[in-house]
Amino acid sequence: MAPGALPLVGHAWSLLRDPLGFAGALPAHGDLVQVRLGPVRAYVPCHPDLLVRVLRQGRVFDKGGPFYDRARSVLGNGVGTCRDAEHRRQRRLLQPAFDAAHLERYSEVMARQFTALADRWRHDQVIDAYPALYEAALRTVLDTLFSTRADTGAVERVHRSVETILDHLFRRMFLPPSLLRLPTPANRRFDRALADLRHGVAALIADHRRTDRDRGDLLSTMLATRRHADGGRAGGGLSDAEIADQVLTMLVAGAEPVASTLAWALWLLAEHPATADQVARESREVLGSRPPRGADVPDLVRTGQVVCETLRLYPPGWLFTRVTSAPVELAGRTLPAGATVLFMAPVLHRRADLYPRPQRFDPDRWEPARAAALPHGAFSPFGGGARQCIGNAYAMTETVLALAIITGRWRVRRAPGTDARPAAMATNLRPRRLLLHLTERPGPARAGSAAPGEAST
Ligand code: HEM
């Protein structure tokens, strides 16, 4: 058992107060460490081999435990929350919308969204980075997966609802279900946010249905399985309720982690201006002045290394749970059926034997020969096995393109008022408040941009 458990709350307090410090300290106590989250005892794999086993043996280490049990009751039974027995069918139906051909099309939207964002900023302006990045990431999800262009008010409403849901979801892990049904202001806020979002999802699906044509997006892919199956689940397709759950899942899973990764990357580049200059140079060499696209990503080598190093230091999805479906041996111990196992990527990402001087931002770690020497499981920002993030390639394309677009254009510096500690009790690791001062980099003038010194807030 890890030291420092408090009466009643166990390790929950340390975990919530300083998630990265807590995670980084765990491997010192063994390869499989027991922790207590309120009343729940849980096992944390701290060795890459153990994590790989947990992620690959999805039948035994099934989605469940405090996080996924609560997530299922809120988000429904979509591909991210369903049990192993259900998963293969759902994933098979969704996967085509994430193939290379779709991704190349989506990448045009990604480039458009983040170019528009970089165009809106002005020389000498201070921006609140996370909400701006979130808006662009959410618009990207809406436009690519659901062919929907929402107005600013709608985007803000979805943002508020998703943030409320995700943050409450996290707190709810540590509370007994009886407390969640009490009519407290927090529970009412949560119920309202969920009802709003479900309502928005229903409207989005209804709108899509009205046109009844293939728009080349995820929703078309799902609706097609529904029609072919003539009745949904019986024929192996997705039922109406499942389609709504998948849409909700993508809205909740698809924007926050991208915005978090970009916010942390900009924060790190603000602290490491020499690396930022390398990314800017590369952006100009590879992208020039034409619109960026997915095929550029392999050439944006330095940008990719910065994104990987950001995901190592600040993996947005930092704590997920599993439950054992049968007794199983792990690290010489027999875990009973029903045991909770935690998947915490930062535990591995901050091991000094895998990453020398692990606290240090060092994108050179991702030079191909060094990266290839890492054992499986050492770098797991997207999970692994059958439940690996379905949006892995989507997210890498989006973050690399967005970072190249923004950094090619803007030099960023930390502005007063920034608090770059991870937000407390958040499902996704994101900075509390990231205020960045922008300076336009010298280069070819772009349509719609102000000349340096022309405008400020
Ligand atoms: C940097 C961005 C992202 C990160 C770091 C990330 C991380 C993850 C992780 C760690 C998991 C596995 C959770 C577990 O094993 O318990 C996951 C699953 C998932 N992610 Fe992502 N994600 C990102 C972006 C996205 C995007 C853009 C989408 C959708 C467009 C998405 C949709 C999903 C879905 C649907 C699952 C569940 C997959 C399954 O169980 O089959 N994610 N993500």
Side-chain angles (χ1 to χ4, degrees), residues 55 63 68 79-80 87 91 98 141 145 249-250 253-254 257-258 261 311 316-317 320-322 343 380-383 386-392 394-395 398-399:
L55 293 178
K63 284 239 174 145
Y68 279 114
V79 67
H87 180 253
R91 180 90 183 211
F98 290 91
V141 169
L145 302 185
T249 299
M250 296 299 164
V258 168
T261 306
L311 287 167
F320 298 98
T321 59
R322 298 287 193 270
F343 158 33
S380 306
F382 294 101
R387 308 306 290 253
Q388 183 170 45
C389 179
I390 201 169
N392 182 345
Y394 179 116
E398 186 176 1
T399 46

Side-chain angles (χ1 to χ4, degrees), residues 254-403:
E256 264 218 14
V258 168
S260 301
T261 306
L262 285 170
W264 288 118
L266 289 177
W267 157 249
L268 290 164
L269 291 181
E271 297 295 291
H272 299 86
T275 309
D277 290 345
Q278 292 167 355
V279 171
R281 226 179 358 261
E282 177 176 86
S283 166
R284 281 168 184 225
E285 279 165 16
V286 174
L287 304 180
S289 51
R290 63 171 173 73
R293 50 201 174 87
D296 293 319
V297 170
D299 296 325
L300 293 165
V301 176
R302 192 59 172 165
T303 317
Q305 291 171 347
V306 168
V307 168
C308 286
E309 184 65 346
T310 305
L311 287 167
R312 181 186 73 81
L313 283 166
Y314 300 107
W318 65 284
L319 189 151
F320 298 98
T321 59
R322 298 287 193 270
V323 66
T324 53
S325 58
V328 58
E329 179 278 329
L330 194 64
R333 277 153 107 153
T334 303
L335 312 193
T340 298
V341 176
L342 302 188
F343 158 33
M344 291 177 68
V347 170
L348 283 306
H349 291 187
R350 288 173 177 253
R351 271 186 78 131
D353 56 342
L354 299 172
Y355 301 97
R357 300 179 63 196
Q359 314 293 340
R360 198 167 148 240
F361 171 68
D362 178 10
D364 293 348
R365 298 181 204 275
W366 301 101
E367 279 167 6
R370 286 180 69 186
L374 285 168
H376 284 301
F379 183 59
S380 306
F382 294 101
R387 308 306 290 253
Q388 183 170 45
C389 179
I390 201 169
N392 182 345
Y394 179 116
M396 284 307 289
T397 303
E398 186 176 1
T399 46
V400 169
L401 285 181
L403 197 61

Side-chain angles (χ1 to χ4, degrees), residues 24-150:
L26 281 184
H29 307 292
D31 287 345
L32 185 68
V33 179
Q34 234 190 325
V35 297
R36 201 156 59 70
L37 307 179
V40 178
R41 279 174 189 278
Y43 297 86
V44 189
C46 298
H47 189 283
D49 294 349
L50 298 185
L51 180 62
V52 167
R53 265 197 66 199
V54 167
L55 293 178
R56 288 198 183 156
Q57 296 184 343
R59 193 167 303 167
V60 186
F61 298 100
D62 204 349
K63 284 239 174 145
F67 180 76
Y68 279 114
D69 288 348
R70 298 283 192 274
R72 196 175 300 123
S73 72
V74 172
L75 303 176
N77 203 34
V79 67
T81 44
C82 68
R83 293 278 191 181
D84 178 75
E86 267 288 298
H87 180 253
R88 185 195 278 258
R89 177 184 67 90
Q90 292 201 21
R91 180 90 183 211
R92 190 169 34 82
L93 294 170
L94 268 53
Q95 196 71 53
F98 290 91
D99 66 14
H102 280 80
L103 197 55
E104 187 54 33
R105 276 206 310 279
Y106 298 161
S107 71
E108 288 167 25
V109 176
M110 294 166 181
R112 208 171 45 239
Q113 285 297 346
F114 284 94
T115 302
L117 180 67
D119 278 351
R120 275 201 298 279
W121 291 340
R122 294 291 173 257
H123 180 77
D124 205 25
Q125 182 183 2
V126 172
I127 54 154
D128 188 353
Y130 182 79
L133 295 166
Y134 182 88
E135 181 180 336
L138 180 61
R139 286 185 184 281
T140 303
V141 169
L142 288 171
D143 197 347
T144 54
L145 302 185
F146 311 119
S147 305
T148 296
R149 298 200 177 170

Side-chain angles (χ1 to χ4, degrees), residues 139-207:
R139 286 185 184 281
T140 303
V141 169
L142 288 171
D143 197 347
T144 54
L145 302 185
F146 311 119
S147 305
T148 296
R149 298 200 177 170
D151 61 45
T152 304
V155 166
E156 266 168 27
R157 279 197 304 282
V158 174
H159 185 181
R160 264 200 310 278
S161 300
V162 169
E163 204 163 276
T164 307
I165 289 166
L166 281 175
D167 291 355
H168 281 243
L169 200 58
F170 202 77
R171 272 165 237 204
R172 286 176 164 230
M173 271 209 282
F174 306 104
L175 297 173
S178 55
L179 285 186
L180 307 179
R181 287 190 289 273
L182 294 178
T184 61
N187 285 345
R188 279 209 299 269
R189 235 185 351 267
F190 177 82
D191 291 342
R192 243 191 338 265
L194 185 58
D196 279 356
L197 203 57
R198 285 244 172 232
H199 185 262
V201 165
L204 196 150
I205 296 173
D207 176 60

